[in-house]
Amino acid sequence: MIVVMPTLTRAEAVERASLVDVEEYHVDLDLTGSGDTFRSLVTVRFRARAGAATFLEFEPAEVASMTLNGAPVDPAAATGARLELTGLAEENTLVVDALMRYSNDGEGLHRYTDPGDGNTYLYQHLFINNAGRVLPSFDQPDLKAVFRVAVTAPADWVVATNGELVSRDGGRWEFAPTKRISTYLASLVAGPYHVVTGEHDGIPLALYARAALAEHLDAQAPEIFEITRRSLDRFHEMFRIRYPFGHYQQAFAPEFNFGAMEYPGIVVFRDEMIPRSAVTDADRERRANIIAHEMAHMWFGDLVTMAWWDDLWLNESFAEYLGSRVTAEATRFTDAWTTFAMQRKAWGLRADQRPSTHPVAPSVVDDTEQALLNFDGISYAKGAAVLKQLVAWLGDEAFLSGLNAHFEAHAYGNATLADLLGALSESSGRDLSGWAEVWLRRAQVNTLRAEITRDGASYAEVAVVQTAPDGHPTLRPHRIGVGLYDRSADGAVTLRQRLDVEVDASGRTVLSALAGVPAADLLLLNDGDLTYAKVRLDDESAAAVPLLLPRLGDSLARAVVWAATLDAVVDGERPVAELVTLVLAALPVETEVVVVEDVLRATRGLVDRYAGPETRPAALELLAQAADRLLAVTGPGDSRRLAAARGLIGATVDTARLRGWLAGEDVPDGLAVDADLRWLILYRLSVLGAAGAAEIDAELAGDRSAAGEQWAAACRAARPDAEAKEAAWAAIVGDAELSNRLAERTASGFWQPEQLDLLEPYVKRYFADMPEMMRIRGGMSAEHIAAMAYPSVAVSERTRQLAADLLATPGLNQILSRVVQDADDDMGRALIARG
């Protein structure tokens, strides 16, 4: 099957918006048919300029009938994923009766069959440019409309949509009209979902999950509802407009492409967020953060929506910022900003330094395909970090006052960067145009370094030196904390003094307040993590880190130090061997599980790419020792114990120990070798050639579930066996019937540093075969697979040359080009580090 991914250009959207004003979509779906199609009967009411011509996005499998204002529409008008209309009246009614195809790529109306019980589940995801796969629509964010939905489904199914339920008669469900929303925000879920209901402050609450997850949803519902209630209360404290979309439902759907999506009234999450096995507190915090993130979208994106995708940051940067803020302020996860500093901001920094970097608020996004590519660490994490800096500069009262004025001015409509800046300038009394120019309109990141001269044991001068890359020479104003930390007689490292510092854009800011001050054991720039910048420690502080970091009491300060250290390794300024040594020294006494997880994950990734074949085994052994030491000092019920076990499993080559754990032998007290930990062990054994197809099949036979299927796909792809690799590659590049999640998990298991000789032929095959994969898949699923299948561990100039050859191909798919360009940049850094 060849996937046709329609692209809407900005020019087309502007022209269409000047012609059309959409009033209502009445969508009537019949989901009771057999085969791979469903019936979509849709009435679209819209106003237009009399006599004008326009188009709707529409991708039918078969059209039964189409009428415009009572007159038949020629079936030939529906071609190329569009429905062309001419001779429009001032008031128009379009009625279309068609069969549409279910999807397996996470877009349109996705259909999934649970391998455990055979139940079928649907969810609708119209993200960016996929509304035409369910209904004829004017699919752009500034053509908002009311959605009135009816669904006919099997009698034992549950159906939920953005609108509140009006009536149900057997399998017939009728829903109330929504507020005016954009097409990409219209959604529904349908199937034999298990439902848990609640209520808070007059708002009906509901949770949905597959029947196979019913007991897990029941067990976890109190925590999810608690996070939901606390987050709603905090948003109501901040915003004058209460939650505006009636009920607040949260559905956990199988094979969802995003972590979650902010459909008003019915947020949809990937259902891995209802775990069936033991998880760490960091896992729980991630879920809480995502709940708060999606709730922030009810105001940023749903109530007030960007006019076009160039203002994506108005959605994602604000939701990212508020997700961390509300999690820290309203839930038990009070150290959420530590997580942001360790994980999210690092994502933004990496994206911002690649060749594909772009401003947080680009002045031009030409089409929807380019818009998809901007759903990255810049639009999310960098934008959130920039907002954190803005709040530090404006003050919280002025910031929130401006946001409230913005909501009130544009409720149920669309807005732009200029609209928001106007509201914030009015509330703060400051002209934000200069701030926006350097922080939002220009790409790349600054580096802040401490430049120190001493007079004996005291500082003679301390200066903050700011630099920028040659190709992006913008220097920016930064408000930061500068922390002076000392080691006491008992070994504890504590804060002596923190300065609030304004770093100007001159390039060198002298901290006169530190002249003559006794030198600290650690001088930490950006203490408190207020700004978005790379931080480099002075030589004395850097040298002291292995001694000081294990005893540094402030988790956010530790996160800033770890982030600076990891980033210096990424940039080739410090060797990966030094990082591994630091991990061995500091990780066994780390108290924050999120730091444990992220340091192990990031270091393992750097070891796999930055350490050569001759040094990698020793580096992995040190990582395994660090995890083992942490395992030895933690007790039952400590989240760090599970994090350490996961890290040990991923790094060790001790197959006898791993097999013993599978058999229940010598398992650390309190560590449950449950379904997912068993699969993690089996995955590592598969990589090492110590588990074969028979063992994978036997494990799957005992775990015939969605998670089991996905783990088995990764394990099969990971085996160092020529036939297994060939089968996995064929599935990745050519099996259009394979669902998005199974294709991704197969790709994720394919490349292993232990198997480079076996995998060598597939390096060239990646660059030959990926363009065809992009033809049979599309959108986010194709992007994920292309990235996961990249030969990132085949670090060589030959790989880079093959990448350059592909990038020079005329007409190369834009998504594939971006994936290869970024992966090649990462490989260039790895080669520098190895050199």
Side-chain angles (χ1 to χ4, degrees), residues 441-463:
R441 292 300 197 193
R442 298 186 190 178
Q444 263 281 1
V445 61
N446 301 122
T447 301
L448 304 179
R449 300 176 185 269
E451 187 177 88
I452 297 174
T453 56
R454 298 194 183 208
D455 182 5
S458 300
Y459 293 124
E461 182 184 81
V462 177

Side-chain angles (χ1 to χ4, degrees), residues 222-373:
E223 179 177 340
I224 296 171
F225 278 145
E226 176 72 7
I227 299 296
T228 302
R229 292 176 179 121
R230 287 181 175 271
S231 298
L232 279 168
D233 288 345
R234 185 67 187 110
F235 281 115
H236 287 161
E237 291 170 358
M238 290 190 289
F239 300 152
R240 291 193 291 263
I241 296 178
R242 283 174 52 85
Y243 170 68
F245 296 106
H247 57 193
Y248 196 84
Q249 305 176 104
Q250 297 172 97
F252 298 85
E255 299 188 328
F256 197 63
N257 276 337
F258 281 0
M261 182 70 188
E262 66 270 19
Y263 308 116
I266 181 165
V267 177
V268 177
F269 303 78
R270 59 170 55 198
D271 68 3
E272 288 91 334
M273 290 188 192
I274 303 296
R276 62 187 188 147
S277 298
V279 295
T280 67
D281 275 350
D283 296 322
R284 291 188 174 89
E285 181 191 314
R286 267 189 293 275
R287 182 172 67 186
N289 188 293
I290 292 171
I291 289 171
H293 174 115
E294 302 307 325
M295 193 178 291
H297 275 306
M298 299 300 123
W299 289 265
F300 283 101
D302 297 0
L303 176 67
V304 180
T305 309
M306 62 202 166
W308 179 247
W309 300 102
D310 50 1
D311 277 325
L312 172 66
W313 81 287
L314 291 175
N315 284 16
E316 298 303 345
S317 299
F318 278 87
E320 183 85 3
Y321 166 75
L322 288 165
S324 291
R325 174 174 172 166
V326 169
T327 301
E329 293 177 354
T331 78
R332 69 182 178 91
F333 302 108
T334 55
D335 290 327
W337 284 119
T338 298
T339 304
F340 181 82
M342 281 296 298
Q343 294 181 350
R344 305 301 287 180
K345 202 163 81 168
W347 177 37
L349 288 169
R350 288 299 307 120
D352 206 14
Q353 295 174 81
R354 290 184 170 124
S356 61
T357 186
H358 59 85
V360 172
S363 56
V364 176
V365 172
D366 289 327
D367 56 39
T368 52
E369 191 168 84
Q370 186 179 350
L372 175 64
L373 296 174

